PDB file of all heavy atoms in Angstrom:
ATOM      1  N   LYS G 356     -48.751  10.713 -60.567  1.00  0.00           N
ATOM      2  CA  LYS G 356     -49.310  11.775 -59.744  1.00  0.00           C
ATOM      3  C   LYS G 356     -50.754  11.423 -59.417  1.00  0.00           C
ATOM      4  O   LYS G 356     -51.494  10.903 -60.257  1.00  0.00           O
ATOM      5  CB  LYS G 356     -49.221  13.133 -60.432  1.00  0.00           C
ATOM      6  CG  LYS G 356     -49.988  13.223 -61.753  1.00  0.00           C
ATOM      7  CD  LYS G 356     -49.917  14.628 -62.327  1.00  0.00           C
ATOM      8  CE  LYS G 356     -50.740  14.752 -63.608  1.00  0.00           C
ATOM      9  NZ  LYS G 356     -50.744  16.142 -64.130  1.00  0.00           N
ATOM     10  N   CYS G 357     -51.147  11.699 -58.178  1.00  0.00           N
ATOM     11  CA  CYS G 357     -52.504  11.429 -57.714  1.00  0.00           C
ATOM     12  C   CYS G 357     -53.052  12.646 -56.976  1.00  0.00           C
ATOM     13  O   CYS G 357     -52.293  13.505 -56.498  1.00  0.00           O
ATOM     14  CB  CYS G 357     -52.511  10.227 -56.771  1.00  0.00           C
ATOM     15  SG  CYS G 357     -51.888   8.700 -57.471  1.00  0.00           S
ATOM     16  N   ASP G 358     -54.358  12.699 -56.860  1.00  0.00           N
ATOM     17  CA  ASP G 358     -55.056  13.727 -56.090  1.00  0.00           C
ATOM     18  C   ASP G 358     -54.624  15.115 -56.553  1.00  0.00           C
ATOM     19  O   ASP G 358     -54.702  15.422 -57.723  1.00  0.00           O
ATOM     20  CB  ASP G 358     -54.829  13.511 -54.602  1.00  0.00           C
ATOM     21  CG  ASP G 358     -55.839  14.262 -53.741  1.00  0.00           C
ATOM     22  OD1 ASP G 358     -56.886  14.664 -54.289  1.00  0.00           O
ATOM     23  OD2 ASP G 358     -55.597  14.452 -52.544  1.00  0.00           O
ATOM     24  N   THR G 359     -54.130  15.963 -55.630  1.00  0.00           N
ATOM     25  CA  THR G 359     -53.782  17.338 -55.999  1.00  0.00           C
ATOM     26  C   THR G 359     -52.348  17.488 -56.467  1.00  0.00           C
ATOM     27  O   THR G 359     -51.938  18.582 -56.867  1.00  0.00           O
ATOM     28  CB  THR G 359     -54.006  18.287 -54.811  1.00  0.00           C
ATOM     29  OG1 THR G 359     -53.129  17.929 -53.739  1.00  0.00           O
ATOM     30  CG2 THR G 359     -55.450  18.233 -54.332  1.00  0.00           C
ATOM     31  N   ASP G 360     -51.532  16.430 -56.380  1.00  0.00           N
ATOM     32  CA  ASP G 360     -50.143  16.525 -56.839  1.00  0.00           C
ATOM     33  C   ASP G 360     -50.090  16.739 -58.349  1.00  0.00           C
ATOM     34  O   ASP G 360     -50.906  16.202 -59.096  1.00  0.00           O
ATOM     35  CB  ASP G 360     -49.373  15.252 -56.495  1.00  0.00           C
ATOM     36  CG  ASP G 360     -48.879  15.244 -55.062  1.00  0.00           C
ATOM     37  OD1 ASP G 360     -49.555  15.870 -54.209  1.00  0.00           O
ATOM     38  OD2 ASP G 360     -47.830  14.629 -54.799  1.00  0.00           O
ATOM     39  N   ASN G 361     -49.102  17.519 -58.786  1.00  0.00           N
ATOM     40  CA  ASN G 361     -48.905  17.750 -60.215  1.00  0.00           C
ATOM     41  C   ASN G 361     -47.408  17.821 -60.499  1.00  0.00           C
ATOM     42  O   ASN G 361     -46.707  18.668 -59.950  1.00  0.00           O
ATOM     43  CB  ASN G 361     -49.572  19.046 -60.658  1.00  0.00           C
ATOM     44  CG  ASN G 361     -49.494  19.223 -62.168  1.00  0.00           C
ATOM     45  OD1 ASN G 361     -49.614  18.260 -62.920  1.00  0.00           O
ATOM     46  ND2 ASN G 361     -49.281  20.452 -62.605  1.00  0.00           N
ATOM     47  N   VAL G 362     -46.909  16.919 -61.324  1.00  0.00           N
ATOM     48  CA  VAL G 362     -45.496  16.933 -61.702  1.00  0.00           C
ATOM     49  C   VAL G 362     -45.292  17.965 -62.807  1.00  0.00           C
ATOM     50  O   VAL G 362     -46.074  18.034 -63.759  1.00  0.00           O
ATOM     51  CB  VAL G 362     -45.040  15.536 -62.169  1.00  0.00           C
ATOM     52  CG1 VAL G 362     -43.581  15.556 -62.588  1.00  0.00           C
ATOM     53  CG2 VAL G 362     -45.263  14.515 -61.060  1.00  0.00           C
ATOM     54  N   LEU G 363     -44.217  18.755 -62.680  1.00  0.00           N
ATOM     55  CA  LEU G 363     -44.011  19.886 -63.581  1.00  0.00           C
ATOM     56  C   LEU G 363     -42.973  19.640 -64.663  1.00  0.00           C
ATOM     57  O   LEU G 363     -43.052  20.222 -65.746  1.00  0.00           O
ATOM     58  CB  LEU G 363     -43.582  21.123 -62.772  1.00  0.00           C
ATOM     59  CG  LEU G 363     -44.497  21.542 -61.630  1.00  0.00           C
ATOM     60  CD1 LEU G 363     -43.894  22.726 -60.897  1.00  0.00           C
ATOM     61  CD2 LEU G 363     -45.889  21.866 -62.151  1.00  0.00           C
ATOM     62  N   ASN G 364     -41.964  18.799 -64.383  1.00  0.00           N
ATOM     63  CA  ASN G 364     -40.864  18.638 -65.330  1.00  0.00           C
ATOM     64  C   ASN G 364     -39.998  17.451 -64.933  1.00  0.00           C
ATOM     65  O   ASN G 364     -40.292  16.753 -63.945  1.00  0.00           O
ATOM     66  CB  ASN G 364     -40.010  19.919 -65.393  1.00  0.00           C
ATOM     67  CG  ASN G 364     -39.518  20.357 -64.013  1.00  0.00           C
ATOM     68  OD1 ASN G 364     -39.150  19.529 -63.176  1.00  0.00           O
ATOM     69  ND2 ASN G 364     -39.499  21.665 -63.775  1.00  0.00           N
ATOM     70  N   GLY G 365     -38.930  17.250 -65.672  1.00  0.00           N
ATOM     71  CA  GLY G 365     -37.908  16.272 -65.323  1.00  0.00           C
ATOM     72  C   GLY G 365     -36.545  16.868 -65.605  1.00  0.00           C
ATOM     73  O   GLY G 365     -36.382  17.637 -66.566  1.00  0.00           O
ATOM     74  N   SER G 366     -35.545  16.517 -64.786  1.00  0.00           N
ATOM     75  CA  SER G 366     -34.210  17.093 -64.951  1.00  0.00           C
ATOM     76  C   SER G 366     -33.138  16.037 -64.764  1.00  0.00           C
ATOM     77  O   SER G 366     -33.302  15.091 -63.980  1.00  0.00           O
ATOM     78  CB  SER G 366     -33.973  18.239 -63.954  1.00  0.00           C
ATOM     79  OG  SER G 366     -34.834  19.328 -64.206  1.00  0.00           O
ATOM     80  N   LEU G 367     -32.025  16.224 -65.459  1.00  0.00           N
ATOM     81  CA  LEU G 367     -30.861  15.342 -65.372  1.00  0.00           C
ATOM     82  C   LEU G 367     -29.666  16.126 -64.866  1.00  0.00           C
ATOM     83  O   LEU G 367     -29.444  17.282 -65.261  1.00  0.00           O
ATOM     84  CB  LEU G 367     -30.531  14.762 -66.757  1.00  0.00           C
ATOM     85  CG  LEU G 367     -29.190  14.035 -66.892  1.00  0.00           C
ATOM     86  CD1 LEU G 367     -29.197  12.724 -66.108  1.00  0.00           C
ATOM     87  CD2 LEU G 367     -28.857  13.785 -68.362  1.00  0.00           C
ATOM     88  N   TYR G 368     -28.876  15.481 -64.007  1.00  0.00           N
ATOM     89  CA  TYR G 368     -27.587  16.002 -63.563  1.00  0.00           C
ATOM     90  C   TYR G 368     -26.532  14.924 -63.842  1.00  0.00           C
ATOM     91  O   TYR G 368     -26.782  13.733 -63.614  1.00  0.00           O
ATOM     92  CB  TYR G 368     -27.599  16.310 -62.070  1.00  0.00           C
ATOM     93  CG  TYR G 368     -28.568  17.392 -61.652  1.00  0.00           C
ATOM     94  CD1 TYR G 368     -29.935  17.122 -61.535  1.00  0.00           C
ATOM     95  CD2 TYR G 368     -28.127  18.684 -61.361  1.00  0.00           C
ATOM     96  CE1 TYR G 368     -30.826  18.112 -61.151  1.00  0.00           C
ATOM     97  CE2 TYR G 368     -29.022  19.681 -60.971  1.00  0.00           C
ATOM     98  CZ  TYR G 368     -30.370  19.380 -60.870  1.00  0.00           C
ATOM     99  OH  TYR G 368     -31.257  20.361 -60.481  1.00  0.00           O
ATOM    100  N   TYR G 369     -25.353  15.337 -64.319  1.00  0.00           N
ATOM    101  CA  TYR G 369     -24.313  14.347 -64.594  1.00  0.00           C
ATOM    102  C   TYR G 369     -22.931  14.945 -64.339  1.00  0.00           C
ATOM    103  O   TYR G 369     -22.756  16.163 -64.302  1.00  0.00           O
ATOM    104  CB  TYR G 369     -24.412  13.833 -66.041  1.00  0.00           C
ATOM    105  CG  TYR G 369     -23.874  14.777 -67.092  1.00  0.00           C
ATOM    106  CD1 TYR G 369     -22.555  14.667 -67.564  1.00  0.00           C
ATOM    107  CD2 TYR G 369     -24.672  15.788 -67.631  1.00  0.00           C
ATOM    108  CE1 TYR G 369     -22.060  15.533 -68.518  1.00  0.00           C
ATOM    109  CE2 TYR G 369     -24.189  16.657 -68.586  1.00  0.00           C
ATOM    110  CZ  TYR G 369     -22.878  16.524 -69.040  1.00  0.00           C
ATOM    111  OH  TYR G 369     -22.392  17.393 -69.984  1.00  0.00           O
ATOM    112  N   ARG G 370     -21.954  14.060 -64.190  1.00  0.00           N
ATOM    113  CA  ARG G 370     -20.551  14.480 -64.082  1.00  0.00           C
ATOM    114  C   ARG G 370     -19.654  13.335 -64.540  1.00  0.00           C
ATOM    115  O   ARG G 370     -20.013  12.161 -64.410  1.00  0.00           O
ATOM    116  CB  ARG G 370     -20.196  14.898 -62.653  1.00  0.00           C
ATOM    117  CG  ARG G 370     -20.319  13.810 -61.607  1.00  0.00           C
ATOM    118  CD  ARG G 370     -20.137  14.403 -60.220  1.00  0.00           C
ATOM    119  NE  ARG G 370     -20.290  13.398 -59.158  1.00  0.00           N
ATOM    120  CZ  ARG G 370     -20.393  13.691 -57.856  1.00  0.00           C
ATOM    121  NH1 ARG G 370     -20.356  14.964 -57.469  1.00  0.00           N
ATOM    122  NH2 ARG G 370     -20.535  12.730 -56.960  1.00  0.00           N
ATOM    123  N   VAL G 371     -18.496  13.679 -65.092  1.00  0.00           N
ATOM    124  CA  VAL G 371     -17.499  12.721 -65.560  1.00  0.00           C
ATOM    125  C   VAL G 371     -16.163  13.127 -64.955  1.00  0.00           C
ATOM    126  O   VAL G 371     -15.751  14.281 -65.081  1.00  0.00           O
ATOM    127  CB  VAL G 371     -17.415  12.713 -67.102  1.00  0.00           C
ATOM    128  CG1 VAL G 371     -16.307  11.775 -67.579  1.00  0.00           C
ATOM    129  CG2 VAL G 371     -18.747  12.315 -67.716  1.00  0.00           C
ATOM    130  N   TYR G 372     -15.472  12.161 -64.321  1.00  0.00           N
ATOM    131  CA  TYR G 372     -14.207  12.516 -63.676  1.00  0.00           C
ATOM    132  C   TYR G 372     -13.337  11.282 -63.492  1.00  0.00           C
ATOM    133  O   TYR G 372     -13.830  10.146 -63.466  1.00  0.00           O
ATOM    134  CB  TYR G 372     -14.456  13.192 -62.325  1.00  0.00           C
ATOM    135  CG  TYR G 372     -15.157  12.350 -61.293  1.00  0.00           C
ATOM    136  CD1 TYR G 372     -14.443  11.715 -60.279  1.00  0.00           C
ATOM    137  CD2 TYR G 372     -16.547  12.184 -61.303  1.00  0.00           C
ATOM    138  CE1 TYR G 372     -15.086  10.946 -59.318  1.00  0.00           C
ATOM    139  CE2 TYR G 372     -17.192  11.426 -60.357  1.00  0.00           C
ATOM    140  CZ  TYR G 372     -16.462  10.814 -59.359  1.00  0.00           C
ATOM    141  OH  TYR G 372     -17.093  10.040 -58.408  1.00  0.00           O
ATOM    142  N   LEU G 373     -12.023  11.508 -63.382  1.00  0.00           N
ATOM    143  CA  LEU G 373     -11.082  10.434 -63.131  1.00  0.00           C
ATOM    144  C   LEU G 373     -11.403   9.760 -61.802  1.00  0.00           C
ATOM    145  O   LEU G 373     -11.689  10.441 -60.810  1.00  0.00           O
ATOM    146  CB  LEU G 373      -9.650  10.970 -63.090  1.00  0.00           C
ATOM    147  CG  LEU G 373      -8.934  11.136 -64.432  1.00  0.00           C
ATOM    148  CD1 LEU G 373      -7.654  11.949 -64.226  1.00  0.00           C
ATOM    149  CD2 LEU G 373      -8.632   9.792 -65.065  1.00  0.00           C
ATOM    150  N   SER G 374     -11.355   8.445 -61.789  1.00  0.00           N
ATOM    151  CA  SER G 374     -11.708   7.719 -60.567  1.00  0.00           C
ATOM    152  C   SER G 374     -10.741   8.004 -59.427  1.00  0.00           C
ATOM    153  O   SER G 374     -11.062   7.751 -58.268  1.00  0.00           O
ATOM    154  CB  SER G 374     -11.743   6.216 -60.849  1.00  0.00           C
ATOM    155  OG  SER G 374     -10.486   5.753 -61.311  1.00  0.00           O
ATOM    156  N   THR G 375      -9.565   8.543 -59.736  1.00  0.00           N
ATOM    157  CA  THR G 375      -8.583   8.869 -58.700  1.00  0.00           C
ATOM    158  C   THR G 375      -8.712  10.298 -58.200  1.00  0.00           C
ATOM    159  O   THR G 375      -7.989  10.690 -57.274  1.00  0.00           O
ATOM    160  CB  THR G 375      -7.158   8.656 -59.241  1.00  0.00           C
ATOM    161  OG1 THR G 375      -6.997   9.400 -60.455  1.00  0.00           O
ATOM    162  CG2 THR G 375      -6.897   7.183 -59.519  1.00  0.00           C
ATOM    163  N   ASP G 376      -9.603  11.081 -58.804  1.00  0.00           N
ATOM    164  CA  ASP G 376      -9.785  12.486 -58.426  1.00  0.00           C
ATOM    165  C   ASP G 376     -11.004  12.660 -57.521  1.00  0.00           C
ATOM    166  O   ASP G 376     -11.920  11.831 -57.542  1.00  0.00           O
ATOM    167  CB  ASP G 376      -9.979  13.359 -59.667  1.00  0.00           C
ATOM    168  CG  ASP G 376      -8.694  13.550 -60.449  1.00  0.00           C
ATOM    169  OD1 ASP G 376      -7.623  13.157 -59.935  1.00  0.00           O
ATOM    170  OD2 ASP G 376      -8.773  14.086 -61.576  1.00  0.00           O
ATOM    171  N   PRO G 377     -11.039  13.753 -56.742  1.00  0.00           N
ATOM    172  CA  PRO G 377     -12.271  14.070 -55.997  1.00  0.00           C
ATOM    173  C   PRO G 377     -13.418  14.330 -56.974  1.00  0.00           C
ATOM    174  O   PRO G 377     -13.206  14.840 -58.075  1.00  0.00           O
ATOM    175  CB  PRO G 377     -11.897  15.333 -55.217  1.00  0.00           C
ATOM    176  CG  PRO G 377     -10.403  15.370 -55.205  1.00  0.00           C
ATOM    177  CD  PRO G 377      -9.954  14.714 -56.476  1.00  0.00           C
ATOM    178  N   ALA G 378     -14.614  13.977 -56.567  1.00  0.00           N
ATOM    179  CA  ALA G 378     -15.787  14.178 -57.431  1.00  0.00           C
ATOM    180  C   ALA G 378     -16.070  15.670 -57.593  1.00  0.00           C
ATOM    181  O   ALA G 378     -16.159  16.397 -56.602  1.00  0.00           O
ATOM    182  CB  ALA G 378     -16.998  13.469 -56.853  1.00  0.00           C
ATOM    183  N   PRO G 379     -16.233  16.162 -58.826  1.00  0.00           N
ATOM    184  CA  PRO G 379     -16.557  17.570 -59.054  1.00  0.00           C
ATOM    185  C   PRO G 379     -18.059  17.818 -58.893  1.00  0.00           C
ATOM    186  O   PRO G 379     -18.836  16.899 -58.629  1.00  0.00           O
ATOM    187  CB  PRO G 379     -16.119  17.790 -60.500  1.00  0.00           C
ATOM    188  CG  PRO G 379     -16.392  16.460 -61.145  1.00  0.00           C
ATOM    189  CD  PRO G 379     -16.087  15.416 -60.091  1.00  0.00           C
ATOM    190  N   ALA G 380     -18.446  19.067 -59.065  1.00  0.00           N
ATOM    191  CA  ALA G 380     -19.874  19.410 -59.030  1.00  0.00           C
ATOM    192  C   ALA G 380     -20.581  18.804 -60.247  1.00  0.00           C
ATOM    193  O   ALA G 380     -19.975  18.591 -61.304  1.00  0.00           O
ATOM    194  CB  ALA G 380     -20.049  20.919 -59.035  1.00  0.00           C
ATOM    195  N   PHE G 381     -21.857  18.526 -60.085  1.00  0.00           N
ATOM    196  CA  PHE G 381     -22.644  18.001 -61.188  1.00  0.00           C
ATOM    197  C   PHE G 381     -22.931  19.091 -62.222  1.00  0.00           C
ATOM    198  O   PHE G 381     -23.028  20.278 -61.879  1.00  0.00           O
ATOM    199  CB  PHE G 381     -23.975  17.441 -60.680  1.00  0.00           C
ATOM    200  CG  PHE G 381     -23.867  16.058 -60.110  1.00  0.00           C
ATOM    201  CD1 PHE G 381     -23.680  15.863 -58.752  1.00  0.00           C
ATOM    202  CD2 PHE G 381     -23.956  14.944 -60.934  1.00  0.00           C
ATOM    203  CE1 PHE G 381     -23.579  14.586 -58.220  1.00  0.00           C
ATOM    204  CE2 PHE G 381     -23.857  13.666 -60.416  1.00  0.00           C
ATOM    205  CZ  PHE G 381     -23.669  13.479 -59.064  1.00  0.00           C
ATOM    206  N   ILE G 382     -23.055  18.685 -63.461  1.00  0.00           N
ATOM    207  CA  ILE G 382     -23.506  19.563 -64.534  1.00  0.00           C
ATOM    208  C   ILE G 382     -25.021  19.425 -64.637  1.00  0.00           C
ATOM    209  O   ILE G 382     -25.537  18.321 -64.722  1.00  0.00           O
ATOM    210  CB  ILE G 382     -22.844  19.182 -65.871  1.00  0.00           C
ATOM    211  CG1 ILE G 382     -21.323  19.345 -65.773  1.00  0.00           C
ATOM    212  CG2 ILE G 382     -23.410  20.010 -67.013  1.00  0.00           C
ATOM    213  CD1 ILE G 382     -20.581  18.799 -66.976  1.00  0.00           C
ATOM    214  N   GLY G 383     -25.712  20.530 -64.624  1.00  0.00           N
ATOM    215  CA  GLY G 383     -27.162  20.493 -64.707  1.00  0.00           C
ATOM    216  C   GLY G 383     -27.786  21.608 -63.894  1.00  0.00           C
ATOM    217  O   GLY G 383     -27.083  22.415 -63.283  1.00  0.00           O
ATOM    218  N   PRO G 384     -29.090  21.708 -63.885  1.00  0.00           N
ATOM    219  CA  PRO G 384     -30.010  20.723 -64.461  1.00  0.00           C
ATOM    220  C   PRO G 384     -30.198  20.857 -65.971  1.00  0.00           C
ATOM    221  O   PRO G 384     -30.160  21.949 -66.509  1.00  0.00           O
ATOM    222  CB  PRO G 384     -31.329  21.017 -63.742  1.00  0.00           C
ATOM    223  CG  PRO G 384     -31.266  22.497 -63.482  1.00  0.00           C
ATOM    224  CD  PRO G 384     -29.825  22.788 -63.178  1.00  0.00           C
ATOM    225  N   ILE G 385     -30.357  19.712 -66.615  1.00  0.00           N
ATOM    226  CA  ILE G 385     -30.837  19.662 -67.992  1.00  0.00           C
ATOM    227  C   ILE G 385     -32.312  19.281 -67.892  1.00  0.00           C
ATOM    228  O   ILE G 385     -32.652  18.157 -67.528  1.00  0.00           O
ATOM    229  CB  ILE G 385     -30.053  18.619 -68.814  1.00  0.00           C
ATOM    230  CG1 ILE G 385     -28.566  18.982 -68.850  1.00  0.00           C
ATOM    231  CG2 ILE G 385     -30.634  18.501 -70.221  1.00  0.00           C
ATOM    232  CD1 ILE G 385     -27.683  17.893 -69.402  1.00  0.00           C
TER     233      ILE G 385
END
Side-chain angles (χ1 to χ4, degrees):
K356 61 177 183 177
C357 301
D358 197 17
T359 63
D360 278 30
N361 186 38
V362 179
L363 305 177
N364 54 39
S366 295
L367 169 69
Y368 297 78
Y369 77 95
R370 62 188 178 191
V371 176
Y372 62 100
L373 276 168
S374 59
T375 54
D376 287 351
F381 279 94
I382 298 172
I385 299 169

